[in-house]
Amino acid sequence: MKNCQKYVFQSLRLGFREWAEEDIQEMFLISSDTEVMKFFPEPQTIEQTKDLVRRMQQQFAKNCFCYFAVEVLETEEFIGFIGLAEINFEASFTPAVDIGWRLAKSAWNKGYATEGANRCVRYGFDVMKLKSIKSIAPEINTKSINVMKKIGMKQKETFKHPFLADCKRLENCVLYEIENNS
């Protein structure tokens, strides 16, 4: 991807950019990994991955944010996504903006999710002027919940996720939030 400004923004070690067609196959490899998708009903198909990328491209065009394609700056290795997206279901807390991440196993346990999420919160508050950012995870996804806590989010409620009603082990979710105090 060659252009004048490759990244929308950067953190110390990560570059956050718009999605490109060549990302679909690499994202599919991540989203079809059963370990990566442990807290989802099932791994994603190539069609579901294409839909995810198209949805993020549309959200970026509309809002100037999305779950950004993320690269390690030093190597330009694509490692998945971290970013902000509109929540696409009805709940007591919607409409709202979610912060989320999905990283390749090779990128786990390096602090990338926390570093990237912190940077996305700053972008959401400083550039996009969001009032608050939410995050959702199944109650059993303690790794994601730990990231939420590390970036200063506070638990607001537990709820049954409408998209996970057929998956009893995942349907009980937590909602975390961080507010813009500037």
Side-chain angles (χ1 to χ4, degrees):
M1 177 184 239
K2 302 291 182 212
N3 60 34
C4 294
Q5 187 173 358
K6 182 174 184 178
Y7 300 115
V8 177
F9 56 87
Q10 299 175 13
S11 64
L12 183 65
R13 301 177 294 164
L14 304 173
F16 301 77
R17 62 172 174 77
E18 293 181 61
W19 289 88
E21 287 301 307
E22 54 267 24
D23 297 325
I24 293 172
Q25 187 59 39
E26 288 186 76
M27 192 67 223
F28 171 65
L29 294 175
I30 295 168
S31 295
S32 63
D33 183 310
T34 55
E35 207 173 338
V36 171
M37 299 301 285
K38 179 178 180 178
F39 299 108
F40 289 83
E42 58 194 13
Q44 287 194 326
T45 64
I46 188 71
E47 287 307 315
Q48 289 170 315
T49 303
K50 285 179 186 174
D51 289 346
L52 169 74
V53 170
R54 301 280 180 271
R55 201 167 63 251
M56 291 306 106
Q57 289 170 326
Q58 291 166 356
Q59 282 203 23
F60 186 81
K62 176 184 167 196
N63 300 321
C64 293
F65 64 77
C66 65
Y67 293 146
F68 293 100
V70 175
E71 294 179 350
V72 176
L73 290 171
E74 189 177 327
T75 61
E76 295 189 355
E77 173 194 4
F78 174 85
I79 60 169
F81 69 72
I82 305 171
L84 306 167
E86 295 174 317
I87 295 176
N88 62 349
F89 61 87
E90 280 193 38
S92 63
F93 51 85
T94 61
V97 174
D98 175 68
I99 188 166
W101 43 85
R102 183 178 306 156
L103 299 177
K105 283 189 298 198
S106 63
W108 289 5
N109 301 313
K110 297 180 180 180
Y112 290 150
T114 302
E115 176 182 328
N118 268 319
R119 183 63 182 92
C120 288
V121 166
R122 281 200 357 254
Y123 178 80
F125 289 164
D126 298 347
V127 178
M128 302 311 305
K129 306 300 183 196
L130 297 173
K131 301 267 186 257
S132 73
I133 297 170
K134 313 250 191 290
S135 194
I136 298 163
E139 286 180 320
I140 60 173
N141 186 348
T142 56
K143 288 183 180 183
S144 282
I145 293 168
N146 285 338
V147 172
M148 295 173 199
K149 291 175 181 177
K150 285 180 188 176
I151 66 171
M153 300 187 101
K154 304 289 182 221
Q155 185 173 346
K156 294 298 179 180
E157 65 181 82
T158 58
F159 69 101
K160 291 193 181 300
H161 198 300
F163 291 166
L164 299 173
D166 293 336
C167 190
K168 296 301 178 202
R169 77 178 179 91
L170 300 176
E171 83 171 328
N172 292 323
C173 289
V174 292
L175 172 73
Y176 275 69
E177 180 180 44
I178 189 168
E179 295 181 353
N180 188 349
N181 294 321
S182 57

